[in-house]
Amino acid sequence: LIMSLTIRPLNNTRAEYNAIMAIHSLLWPEAPFTGEHRQLHDAGRNPDFLFQRLVAERDGQIVAHANYGENPWSHRPGKYTLDIQVHPAYQRQGIGDALAQVIYAALAQQSRVPVLLTTGTRTDKTGSLAFLAKHGFVQVMRHPSSTLDVQAFDGAAFAPILEKVRQAGVKIYSMSELKARNPNWIRIWYDLELAINDDVPAADRGEPLPFATFAGYVDGPLVATDAAFIAEDATGQYVGVSSLNIPAPGSPVLQTGMTGVLRS
């Protein structure tokens, strides 16, 4: 018990995942995820990388949750990440601080001694910024965010670009089509993303994502290969990729994943 608060590991039940995602949706309504999505995502994690979810309960009710661990997309020994989310009705009561202290103590016990701790928030979340500053975090990078109203989008303006690409002999098709054509489709996708990732700005690059981790994720239930696309040039070389992340079936919000082309 910490400040009449119980902090414990999250139980692997749909009810508890629903509870923590309800808090997430209150704090980040523009990035909705269901409990089912998060539970499936966690089930597909590579166990070689530390990951732990915590919940904070008051009077038997989950009022906050957190996670900490290693980021397989940007891993190096001693580098950890954390995320803390407190229900709006329970903020500024020390719950976030209590969760942070539990995380710090757990990381101090790791064989890979912590040397870097990363997290993120949004610039209009002033309470989160103050919390992070109090805990010694410093800003090292900003990511601008853009949104597109798909129904209001006028694709006609891009017709000349599509024709230019077509005349250059470049074909664009879905990963579902690539999967049907080439048994090595996952490796092709992985190698392309790895090459393009070198041009993605990063505060700390870390080690490349292991192929097994990537393969387990893209060939799982959370990735819609119909919503991921690859570009192939006239010589047969794969030169570009773009994908959409679908938070939940029927979600009105889609998130753009890795999108880019080879430098050449």
Side-chain angles (χ1 to χ4, degrees):
L1 291 176
I2 302 176
M3 301 166 49
S4 74
L5 200 71
T6 300
I7 295 177
R8 60 168 175 81
L10 174 80
N11 290 323
N12 186 25
T13 66
R14 181 62 53 80
E16 294 214 346
Y17 272 95
N18 287 342
I20 67 171
M21 285 299 101
I23 295 172
H24 172 88
S25 296
L26 287 172
L27 299 173
W28 299 93
E30 72 286 355
F33 288 97
T34 64
E36 179 184 16
H37 181 283
R38 271 294 178 255
Q39 191 174 23
L40 284 170
H41 189 275
D42 284 358
R45 289 184 181 275
N46 186 336
D48 293 340
F49 298 94
L50 172 70
F51 185 80
Q52 177 67 60
R53 289 194 186 276
L54 302 172
V55 295
E57 286 182 313
R58 179 166 285 172
D59 299 326
Q61 179 183 353
I62 294 176
V63 298
H65 66 102
N67 65 70
Y68 65 91
E70 296 170 298
N71 181 0
W73 297 86
S74 178
H75 174 263
R76 62 184 176 94
K79 177 182 177 181
Y80 297 96
T81 183
L82 66 77
D83 183 43
I84 297 172
Q85 298 186 356
V86 181
H87 190 290
Y90 293 88
Q91 292 179 0
R92 295 176 179 83
Q93 298 178 26
I95 297 174
D97 289 323
L99 281 164
Q101 293 304 321
V102 170
I103 291 172
Y104 299 156
L107 291 178
Q109 301 301 313
Q110 295 299 314
S111 58
R112 295 167 177 163
V113 178
V115 295
L116 182 65
L117 190 56
T118 67
T119 190
T121 188
R122 212 170 59 196
T123 52
D124 61 347
K125 294 185 179 290
T126 55
S128 296
L129 291 172
F131 175 88
L132 294 176
K134 181 176 73 171
H135 283 259
F137 287 87
V138 295
Q139 179 188 303
V140 294
M141 193 169 188
R142 287 175 183 250
H143 295 274
S145 178
S146 303
T147 59
L148 173 70
D149 181 349
V150 178
Q151 305 237 346
F153 171 69
D154 179 13
F158 289 85
I161 297 174
L162 292 174
E163 179 60 21
K164 178 182 177 182
V165 169
R166 189 189 68 78
Q167 290 185 4
V170 175
K171 301 174 184 176
I172 297 175
Y173 45 88
S174 74
M175 290 296 177
S176 291
E177 293 174 272
L178 179 66
K179 183 177 182 179
R181 292 169 51 176
N182 195 316
N184 294 321
W185 66 279
I186 299 179
R187 187 83 215 187
I188 292 169
W189 192 354
Y190 172 80
D191 289 343
L192 191 54
E193 286 214 6
L194 219 60
I196 293 170
N197 193 56
D198 286 342
D199 286 333
V200 176
D204 182 77
R205 180 67 60 190
E207 302 166 356
L209 179 75
F211 173 71
T213 304
F214 180 86
Y217 179 69
V218 302
D219 203 21
L222 298 178
V223 173
T225 51
D226 284 344
F229 300 88
I230 192 164
E232 181 183 9
D233 73 6
T235 71
Q237 181 184 17
Y238 298 104
V239 297
V241 67
S242 184
S243 61
L244 288 171
N245 300 320
I246 305 174
S251 172
V253 180
L254 305 179
Q255 298 173 327
T256 304
M258 170 69 84
T259 300
V261 297
L262 297 179
R263 293 179 190 178
S264 58

PDB file of all heavy atoms in Angstrom, residues 123-158:
ATOM      1  N   THR A 123       2.817  18.690 -26.187  1.00  0.00           N
ATOM      2  CA  THR A 123       3.169  20.002 -25.638  1.00  0.00           C
ATOM      3  C   THR A 123       1.990  20.726 -24.994  1.00  0.00           C
ATOM      4  O   THR A 123       2.195  21.608 -24.165  1.00  0.00           O
ATOM      5  CB  THR A 123       3.770  20.905 -26.730  1.00  0.00           C
ATOM      6  OG1 THR A 123       2.886  20.928 -27.860  1.00  0.00           O
ATOM      7  CG2 THR A 123       5.125  20.397 -27.169  1.00  0.00           C
ATOM      8  N   ASP A 124       0.754  20.362 -25.345  1.00  0.00           N
ATOM      9  CA  ASP A 124      -0.389  21.032 -24.702  1.00  0.00           C
ATOM     10  C   ASP A 124      -0.802  20.348 -23.402  1.00  0.00           C
ATOM     11  O   ASP A 124      -1.707  20.826 -22.714  1.00  0.00           O
ATOM     12  CB  ASP A 124      -1.571  21.115 -25.662  1.00  0.00           C
ATOM     13  CG  ASP A 124      -2.080  19.748 -26.105  1.00  0.00           C
ATOM     14  OD1 ASP A 124      -1.373  18.743 -25.869  1.00  0.00           O
ATOM     15  OD2 ASP A 124      -3.171  19.689 -26.700  1.00  0.00           O
ATOM     16  N   LYS A 125      -0.129  19.269 -23.035  1.00  0.00           N
ATOM     17  CA  LYS A 125      -0.412  18.592 -21.766  1.00  0.00           C
ATOM     18  C   LYS A 125       0.542  19.138 -20.706  1.00  0.00           C
ATOM     19  O   LYS A 125       1.561  18.531 -20.361  1.00  0.00           O
ATOM     20  CB  LYS A 125      -0.293  17.070 -21.928  1.00  0.00           C
ATOM     21  CG  LYS A 125      -1.362  16.485 -22.860  1.00  0.00           C
ATOM     22  CD  LYS A 125      -1.289  14.978 -22.910  1.00  0.00           C
ATOM     23  CE  LYS A 125      -2.369  14.401 -23.819  1.00  0.00           C
ATOM     24  NZ  LYS A 125      -3.726  14.539 -23.260  1.00  0.00           N
ATOM     25  N   THR A 126       0.213  20.312 -20.207  1.00  0.00           N
ATOM     26  CA  THR A 126       1.125  21.033 -19.304  1.00  0.00           C
ATOM     27  C   THR A 126       1.363  20.284 -18.001  1.00  0.00           C
ATOM     28  O   THR A 126       2.461  20.344 -17.441  1.00  0.00           O
ATOM     29  CB  THR A 126       0.563  22.436 -19.005  1.00  0.00           C
ATOM     30  OG1 THR A 126      -0.775  22.313 -18.498  1.00  0.00           O
ATOM     31  CG2 THR A 126       0.521  23.272 -20.288  1.00  0.00           C
ATOM     32  N   GLY A 127       0.345  19.569 -17.517  1.00  0.00           N
ATOM     33  CA  GLY A 127       0.538  18.801 -16.293  1.00  0.00           C
ATOM     34  C   GLY A 127       1.564  17.699 -16.476  1.00  0.00           C
ATOM     35  O   GLY A 127       2.411  17.473 -15.607  1.00  0.00           O
ATOM     36  N   SER A 128       1.509  17.032 -17.617  1.00  0.00           N
ATOM     37  CA  SER A 128       2.479  15.981 -17.909  1.00  0.00           C
ATOM     38  C   SER A 128       3.879  16.548 -18.049  1.00  0.00           C
ATOM     39  O   SER A 128       4.863  15.958 -17.571  1.00  0.00           O
ATOM     40  CB  SER A 128       2.081  15.243 -19.194  1.00  0.00           C
ATOM     41  OG  SER A 128       0.847  14.586 -19.032  1.00  0.00           O
ATOM     42  N   LEU A 129       3.999  17.707 -18.701  1.00  0.00           N
ATOM     43  CA  LEU A 129       5.307  18.343 -18.858  1.00  0.00           C
ATOM     44  C   LEU A 129       5.906  18.696 -17.497  1.00  0.00           C
ATOM     45  O   LEU A 129       7.096  18.494 -17.251  1.00  0.00           O
ATOM     46  CB  LEU A 129       5.190  19.598 -19.723  1.00  0.00           C
ATOM     47  CG  LEU A 129       4.873  19.365 -21.200  1.00  0.00           C
ATOM     48  CD1 LEU A 129       4.580  20.691 -21.890  1.00  0.00           C
ATOM     49  CD2 LEU A 129       6.021  18.652 -21.897  1.00  0.00           C
ATOM     50  N   ALA A 130       5.069  19.223 -16.601  1.00  0.00           N
ATOM     51  CA  ALA A 130       5.548  19.583 -15.259  1.00  0.00           C
ATOM     52  C   ALA A 130       5.972  18.331 -14.493  1.00  0.00           C
ATOM     53  O   ALA A 130       6.991  18.335 -13.785  1.00  0.00           O
ATOM     54  CB  ALA A 130       4.454  20.332 -14.492  1.00  0.00           C
ATOM     55  N   PHE A 131       5.216  17.247 -14.632  1.00  0.00           N
ATOM     56  CA  PHE A 131       5.538  15.985 -13.975  1.00  0.00           C
ATOM     57  C   PHE A 131       6.895  15.475 -14.452  1.00  0.00           C
ATOM     58  O   PHE A 131       7.755  15.083 -13.651  1.00  0.00           O
ATOM     59  CB  PHE A 131       4.437  14.962 -14.257  1.00  0.00           C
ATOM     60  CG  PHE A 131       4.715  13.584 -13.726  1.00  0.00           C
ATOM     61  CD1 PHE A 131       4.361  13.232 -12.434  1.00  0.00           C
ATOM     62  CD2 PHE A 131       5.326  12.622 -14.528  1.00  0.00           C
ATOM     63  CE1 PHE A 131       4.613  11.960 -11.937  1.00  0.00           C
ATOM     64  CE2 PHE A 131       5.584  11.350 -14.054  1.00  0.00           C
ATOM     65  CZ  PHE A 131       5.226  11.017 -12.762  1.00  0.00           C
ATOM     66  N   LEU A 132       7.109  15.480 -15.755  1.00  0.00           N
ATOM     67  CA  LEU A 132       8.362  14.973 -16.307  1.00  0.00           C
ATOM     68  C   LEU A 132       9.542  15.841 -15.894  1.00  0.00           C
ATOM     69  O   LEU A 132      10.621  15.331 -15.582  1.00  0.00           O
ATOM     70  CB  LEU A 132       8.268  14.885 -17.831  1.00  0.00           C
ATOM     71  CG  LEU A 132       7.261  13.853 -18.364  1.00  0.00           C
ATOM     72  CD1 LEU A 132       7.191  13.921 -19.883  1.00  0.00           C
ATOM     73  CD2 LEU A 132       7.612  12.450 -17.910  1.00  0.00           C
ATOM     74  N   ALA A 133       9.348  17.148 -15.888  1.00  0.00           N
ATOM     75  CA  ALA A 133      10.432  18.048 -15.462  1.00  0.00           C
ATOM     76  C   ALA A 133      10.791  17.790 -14.005  1.00  0.00           C
ATOM     77  O   ALA A 133      11.973  17.766 -13.638  1.00  0.00           O
ATOM     78  CB  ALA A 133      10.003  19.499 -15.668  1.00  0.00           C
ATOM     79  N   LYS A 134       9.781  17.569 -13.167  1.00  0.00           N
ATOM     80  CA  LYS A 134      10.023  17.283 -11.754  1.00  0.00           C
ATOM     81  C   LYS A 134      10.835  16.012 -11.570  1.00  0.00           C
ATOM     82  O   LYS A 134      11.657  15.904 -10.652  1.00  0.00           O
ATOM     83  CB  LYS A 134       8.685  17.180 -11.006  1.00  0.00           C
ATOM     84  CG  LYS A 134       8.834  16.902  -9.510  1.00  0.00           C
ATOM     85  CD  LYS A 134       7.488  16.916  -8.804  1.00  0.00           C
ATOM     86  CE  LYS A 134       6.666  15.698  -9.126  1.00  0.00           C
ATOM     87  NZ  LYS A 134       5.449  15.589  -8.288  1.00  0.00           N
ATOM     88  N   HIS A 135      10.647  15.050 -12.470  1.00  0.00           N
ATOM     89  CA  HIS A 135      11.350  13.774 -12.371  1.00  0.00           C
ATOM     90  C   HIS A 135      12.673  13.768 -13.135  1.00  0.00           C
ATOM     91  O   HIS A 135      13.303  12.721 -13.266  1.00  0.00           O
ATOM     92  CB  HIS A 135      10.440  12.639 -12.853  1.00  0.00           C
ATOM     93  CG  HIS A 135       9.401  12.242 -11.842  1.00  0.00           C
ATOM     94  ND1 HIS A 135       9.526  11.131 -11.031  1.00  0.00           N
ATOM     95  CD2 HIS A 135       8.236  12.832 -11.470  1.00  0.00           C
ATOM     96  CE1 HIS A 135       8.486  11.043 -10.232  1.00  0.00           C
ATOM     97  NE2 HIS A 135       7.677  12.060 -10.483  1.00  0.00           N
ATOM     98  N   GLY A 136      13.082  14.926 -13.621  1.00  0.00           N
ATOM     99  CA  GLY A 136      14.407  15.042 -14.220  1.00  0.00           C
ATOM    100  C   GLY A 136      14.488  14.774 -15.706  1.00  0.00           C
ATOM    101  O   GLY A 136      15.588  14.737 -16.269  1.00  0.00           O
ATOM    102  N   PHE A 137      13.348  14.583 -16.366  1.00  0.00           N
ATOM    103  CA  PHE A 137      13.374  14.379 -17.814  1.00  0.00           C
ATOM    104  C   PHE A 137      13.641  15.707 -18.522  1.00  0.00           C
ATOM    105  O   PHE A 137      13.199  16.763 -18.070  1.00  0.00           O
ATOM    106  CB  PHE A 137      12.034  13.813 -18.305  1.00  0.00           C
ATOM    107  CG  PHE A 137      11.809  12.370 -17.952  1.00  0.00           C
ATOM    108  CD1 PHE A 137      11.234  12.017 -16.732  1.00  0.00           C
ATOM    109  CD2 PHE A 137      12.158  11.361 -18.834  1.00  0.00           C
ATOM    110  CE1 PHE A 137      11.020  10.694 -16.406  1.00  0.00           C
ATOM    111  CE2 PHE A 137      11.945  10.023 -18.516  1.00  0.00           C
ATOM    112  CZ  PHE A 137      11.376   9.689 -17.307  1.00  0.00           C
ATOM    113  N   VAL A 138      14.361  15.647 -19.620  1.00  0.00           N
ATOM    114  CA  VAL A 138      14.614  16.840 -20.435  1.00  0.00           C
ATOM    115  C   VAL A 138      14.198  16.540 -21.871  1.00  0.00           C
ATOM    116  O   VAL A 138      14.337  15.417 -22.349  1.00  0.00           O
ATOM    117  CB  VAL A 138      16.103  17.265 -20.399  1.00  0.00           C
ATOM    118  CG1 VAL A 138      16.500  17.707 -18.998  1.00  0.00           C
ATOM    119  CG2 VAL A 138      17.005  16.128 -20.869  1.00  0.00           C
ATOM    120  N   GLN A 139      13.696  17.551 -22.536  1.00  0.00           N
ATOM    121  CA  GLN A 139      13.249  17.362 -23.918  1.00  0.00           C
ATOM    122  C   GLN A 139      14.449  17.218 -24.842  1.00  0.00           C
ATOM    123  O   GLN A 139      15.383  18.011 -24.806  1.00  0.00           O
ATOM    124  CB  GLN A 139      12.416  18.560 -24.355  1.00  0.00           C
ATOM    125  CG  GLN A 139      11.932  18.448 -25.790  1.00  0.00           C
ATOM    126  CD  GLN A 139      11.268  19.718 -26.268  1.00  0.00           C
ATOM    127  OE1 GLN A 139      10.301  20.181 -25.667  1.00  0.00           O
ATOM    128  NE2 GLN A 139      11.783  20.283 -27.352  1.00  0.00           N
ATOM    129  N   VAL A 140      14.407  16.181 -25.682  1.00  0.00           N
ATOM    130  CA  VAL A 140      15.482  15.972 -26.648  1.00  0.00           C
ATOM    131  C   VAL A 140      14.963  15.965 -28.082  1.00  0.00           C
ATOM    132  O   VAL A 140      15.749  16.037 -29.030  1.00  0.00           O
ATOM    133  CB  VAL A 140      16.238  14.653 -26.376  1.00  0.00           C
ATOM    134  CG1 VAL A 140      16.980  14.726 -25.049  1.00  0.00           C
ATOM    135  CG2 VAL A 140      15.291  13.462 -26.406  1.00  0.00           C
ATOM    136  N   MET A 141      13.632  15.899 -28.257  1.00  0.00           N
ATOM    137  CA  MET A 141      13.098  15.826 -29.606  1.00  0.00           C
ATOM    138  C   MET A 141      11.622  16.187 -29.611  1.00  0.00           C
ATOM    139  O   MET A 141      10.926  15.983 -28.617  1.00  0.00           O
ATOM    140  CB  MET A 141      13.282  14.411 -30.174  1.00  0.00           C
ATOM    141  CG  MET A 141      13.059  14.314 -31.656  1.00  0.00           C
ATOM    142  SD  MET A 141      13.610  12.711 -32.281  1.00  0.00           S
ATOM    143  CE  MET A 141      13.444  13.011 -34.031  1.00  0.00           C
ATOM    144  N   ARG A 142      11.175  16.749 -30.736  1.00  0.00           N
ATOM    145  CA  ARG A 142       9.758  17.021 -30.946  1.00  0.00           C
ATOM    146  C   ARG A 142       9.289  16.299 -32.208  1.00  0.00           C
ATOM    147  O   ARG A 142      10.016  16.231 -33.193  1.00  0.00           O
ATOM    148  CB  ARG A 142       9.487  18.525 -31.122  1.00  0.00           C
ATOM    149  CG  ARG A 142       9.603  19.342 -29.851  1.00  0.00           C
ATOM    150  CD  ARG A 142       9.431  20.817 -30.175  1.00  0.00           C
ATOM    151  NE  ARG A 142       9.598  21.655 -28.997  1.00  0.00           N
ATOM    152  CZ  ARG A 142       8.600  22.317 -28.410  1.00  0.00           C
ATOM    153  NH1 ARG A 142       7.377  22.247 -28.914  1.00  0.00           N
ATOM    154  NH2 ARG A 142       8.819  23.060 -27.351  1.00  0.00           N
ATOM    155  N   HIS A 143       8.068  15.788 -32.153  1.00  0.00           N
ATOM    156  CA  HIS A 143       7.454  15.150 -33.321  1.00  0.00           C
ATOM    157  C   HIS A 143       6.190  15.932 -33.673  1.00  0.00           C
ATOM    158  O   HIS A 143       5.231  15.916 -32.908  1.00  0.00           O
ATOM    159  CB  HIS A 143       7.064  13.702 -33.018  1.00  0.00           C
ATOM    160  CG  HIS A 143       8.208  12.800 -32.740  1.00  0.00           C
ATOM    161  ND1 HIS A 143       8.912  12.154 -33.739  1.00  0.00           N
ATOM    162  CD2 HIS A 143       8.793  12.435 -31.582  1.00  0.00           C
ATOM    163  CE1 HIS A 143       9.876  11.425 -33.191  1.00  0.00           C
ATOM    164  NE2 HIS A 143       9.824  11.577 -31.886  1.00  0.00           N
ATOM    165  N   PRO A 144       6.154  16.643 -34.801  1.00  0.00           N
ATOM    166  CA  PRO A 144       4.909  17.304 -35.201  1.00  0.00           C
ATOM    167  C   PRO A 144       3.860  16.267 -35.569  1.00  0.00           C
ATOM    168  O   PRO A 144       4.179  15.159 -36.022  1.00  0.00           O
ATOM    169  CB  PRO A 144       5.315  18.134 -36.421  1.00  0.00           C
ATOM    170  CG  PRO A 144       6.524  17.446 -36.960  1.00  0.00           C
ATOM    171  CD  PRO A 144       7.242  16.855 -35.774  1.00  0.00           C
ATOM    172  N   SER A 145       2.610  16.608 -35.364  1.00  0.00           N
ATOM    173  CA  SER A 145       1.506  15.694 -35.638  1.00  0.00           C
ATOM    174  C   SER A 145       0.566  16.329 -36.652  1.00  0.00           C
ATOM    175  O   SER A 145       0.266  17.524 -36.568  1.00  0.00           O
ATOM    176  CB  SER A 145       0.746  15.379 -34.346  1.00  0.00           C
ATOM    177  OG  SER A 145      -0.356  14.540 -34.604  1.00  0.00           O
ATOM    178  N   SER A 146       0.114  15.554 -37.614  1.00  0.00           N
ATOM    179  CA  SER A 146      -0.814  16.038 -38.638  1.00  0.00           C
ATOM    180  C   SER A 146      -2.000  15.090 -38.734  1.00  0.00           C
ATOM    181  O   SER A 146      -1.870  13.889 -38.504  1.00  0.00           O
ATOM    182  CB  SER A 146      -0.128  16.118 -40.009  1.00  0.00           C
ATOM    183  OG  SER A 146       1.010  16.942 -39.971  1.00  0.00           O
ATOM    184  N   THR A 147      -3.155  15.642 -39.082  1.00  0.00           N
ATOM    185  CA  THR A 147      -4.346  14.814 -39.283  1.00  0.00           C
ATOM    186  C   THR A 147      -4.976  15.163 -40.629  1.00  0.00           C
ATOM    187  O   THR A 147      -4.815  16.278 -41.135  1.00  0.00           O
ATOM    188  CB  THR A 147      -5.390  15.038 -38.169  1.00  0.00           C
ATOM    189  OG1 THR A 147      -5.765  16.418 -38.143  1.00  0.00           O
ATOM    190  CG2 THR A 147      -4.836  14.650 -36.808  1.00  0.00           C
ATOM    191  N   LEU A 148      -5.681  14.200 -41.188  1.00  0.00           N
ATOM    192  CA  LEU A 148      -6.334  14.372 -42.480  1.00  0.00           C
ATOM    193  C   LEU A 148      -7.776  13.906 -42.386  1.00  0.00           C
ATOM    194  O   LEU A 148      -8.051  12.789 -41.937  1.00  0.00           O
ATOM    195  CB  LEU A 148      -5.600  13.555 -43.556  1.00  0.00           C
ATOM    196  CG  LEU A 148      -6.270  13.498 -44.932  1.00  0.00           C
ATOM    197  CD1 LEU A 148      -6.198  14.851 -45.620  1.00  0.00           C
ATOM    198  CD2 LEU A 148      -5.619  12.427 -45.806  1.00  0.00           C
ATOM    199  N   ASP A 149      -8.700  14.784 -42.783  1.00  0.00           N
ATOM    200  CA  ASP A 149     -10.104  14.400 -42.902  1.00  0.00           C
ATOM    201  C   ASP A 149     -10.253  13.675 -44.234  1.00  0.00           C
ATOM    202  O   ASP A 149     -10.284  14.305 -45.291  1.00  0.00           O
ATOM    203  CB  ASP A 149     -10.992  15.640 -42.848  1.00  0.00           C
ATOM    204  CG  ASP A 149     -12.479  15.300 -42.941  1.00  0.00           C
ATOM    205  OD1 ASP A 149     -12.809  14.137 -43.256  1.00  0.00           O
ATOM    206  OD2 ASP A 149     -13.314  16.195 -42.709  1.00  0.00           O
ATOM    207  N   VAL A 150     -10.340  12.345 -44.181  1.00  0.00           N
ATOM    208  CA  VAL A 150     -10.339  11.549 -45.410  1.00  0.00           C
ATOM    209  C   VAL A 150     -11.526  11.899 -46.302  1.00  0.00           C
ATOM    210  O   VAL A 150     -11.405  11.963 -47.526  1.00  0.00           O
ATOM    211  CB  VAL A 150     -10.327  10.044 -45.060  1.00  0.00           C
ATOM    212  CG1 VAL A 150     -10.387   9.197 -46.322  1.00  0.00           C
ATOM    213  CG2 VAL A 150      -9.082   9.703 -44.254  1.00  0.00           C
ATOM    214  N   GLN A 151     -12.695  12.146 -45.691  1.00  0.00           N
ATOM    215  CA  GLN A 151     -13.892  12.427 -46.489  1.00  0.00           C
ATOM    216  C   GLN A 151     -13.766  13.743 -47.254  1.00  0.00           C
ATOM    217  O   GLN A 151     -14.378  13.927 -48.309  1.00  0.00           O
ATOM    218  CB  GLN A 151     -15.118  12.470 -45.568  1.00  0.00           C
ATOM    219  CG  GLN A 151     -15.284  11.215 -44.742  1.00  0.00           C
ATOM    220  CD  GLN A 151     -16.639  10.540 -44.959  1.00  0.00           C
ATOM    221  OE1 GLN A 151     -17.542  11.118 -45.513  1.00  0.00           O
ATOM    222  NE2 GLN A 151     -16.746   9.300 -44.524  1.00  0.00           N
ATOM    223  N   ALA A 152     -12.967  14.674 -46.721  1.00  0.00           N
ATOM    224  CA  ALA A 152     -12.813  15.970 -47.377  1.00  0.00           C
ATOM    225  C   ALA A 152     -11.607  16.007 -48.314  1.00  0.00           C
ATOM    226  O   ALA A 152     -11.370  17.012 -48.986  1.00  0.00           O
ATOM    227  CB  ALA A 152     -12.678  17.070 -46.314  1.00  0.00           C
ATOM    228  N   PHE A 153     -10.864  14.932 -48.388  1.00  0.00           N
ATOM    229  CA  PHE A 153      -9.645  14.896 -49.193  1.00  0.00           C
ATOM    230  C   PHE A 153      -9.976  14.868 -50.684  1.00  0.00           C
ATOM    231  O   PHE A 153     -10.834  14.114 -51.124  1.00  0.00           O
ATOM    232  CB  PHE A 153      -8.823  13.657 -48.811  1.00  0.00           C
ATOM    233  CG  PHE A 153      -7.644  13.396 -49.708  1.00  0.00           C
ATOM    234  CD1 PHE A 153      -6.555  14.250 -49.700  1.00  0.00           C
ATOM    235  CD2 PHE A 153      -7.635  12.310 -50.570  1.00  0.00           C
ATOM    236  CE1 PHE A 153      -5.458  14.012 -50.524  1.00  0.00           C
ATOM    237  CE2 PHE A 153      -6.547  12.068 -51.388  1.00  0.00           C
ATOM    238  CZ  PHE A 153      -5.457  12.920 -51.368  1.00  0.00           C
ATOM    239  N   ASP A 154      -9.277  15.687 -51.446  1.00  0.00           N
ATOM    240  CA  ASP A 154      -9.467  15.747 -52.891  1.00  0.00           C
ATOM    241  C   ASP A 154      -8.299  15.039 -53.575  1.00  0.00           C
ATOM    242  O   ASP A 154      -7.215  15.594 -53.718  1.00  0.00           O
ATOM    243  CB  ASP A 154      -9.565  17.196 -53.363  1.00  0.00           C
ATOM    244  CG  ASP A 154      -9.752  17.308 -54.875  1.00  0.00           C
ATOM    245  OD1 ASP A 154     -10.056  16.269 -55.508  1.00  0.00           O
ATOM    246  OD2 ASP A 154      -9.601  18.412 -55.413  1.00  0.00           O
ATOM    247  N   GLY A 155      -8.512  13.806 -53.993  1.00  0.00           N
ATOM    248  CA  GLY A 155      -7.449  13.034 -54.622  1.00  0.00           C
ATOM    249  C   GLY A 155      -7.096  13.482 -56.021  1.00  0.00           C
ATOM    250  O   GLY A 155      -6.041  13.119 -56.547  1.00  0.00           O
ATOM    251  N   ALA A 156      -7.967  14.297 -56.628  1.00  0.00           N
ATOM    252  CA  ALA A 156      -7.725  14.718 -58.009  1.00  0.00           C
ATOM    253  C   ALA A 156      -6.421  15.490 -58.144  1.00  0.00           C
ATOM    254  O   ALA A 156      -5.752  15.432 -59.182  1.00  0.00           O
ATOM    255  CB  ALA A 156      -8.891  15.563 -58.501  1.00  0.00           C
ATOM    256  N   ALA A 157      -6.050  16.214 -57.098  1.00  0.00           N
ATOM    257  CA  ALA A 157      -4.830  17.012 -57.155  1.00  0.00           C
ATOM    258  C   ALA A 157      -3.585  16.144 -57.302  1.00  0.00           C
ATOM    259  O   ALA A 157      -2.533  16.621 -57.745  1.00  0.00           O
ATOM    260  CB  ALA A 157      -4.722  17.883 -55.900  1.00  0.00           C
ATOM    261  N   PHE A 158      -3.687  14.872 -56.951  1.00  0.00           N
ATOM    262  CA  PHE A 158      -2.527  13.986 -57.004  1.00  0.00           C
ATOM    263  C   PHE A 158      -2.507  13.120 -58.263  1.00  0.00           C
ATOM    264  O   PHE A 158      -1.590  12.323 -58.448  1.00  0.00           O
ATOM    265  CB  PHE A 158      -2.501  13.092 -55.754  1.00  0.00           C
ATOM    266  CG  PHE A 158      -2.145  13.841 -54.503  1.00  0.00           C
ATOM    267  CD1 PHE A 158      -3.113  14.515 -53.783  1.00  0.00           C
ATOM    268  CD2 PHE A 158      -0.828  13.901 -54.066  1.00  0.00           C
ATOM    269  CE1 PHE A 158      -2.791  15.220 -52.637  1.00  0.00           C
ATOM    270  CE2 PHE A 158      -0.492  14.608 -52.923  1.00  0.00           C
ATOM    271  CZ  PHE A 158      -1.469  15.273 -52.207  1.00  0.00           C
TER     272      PHE A 158
END
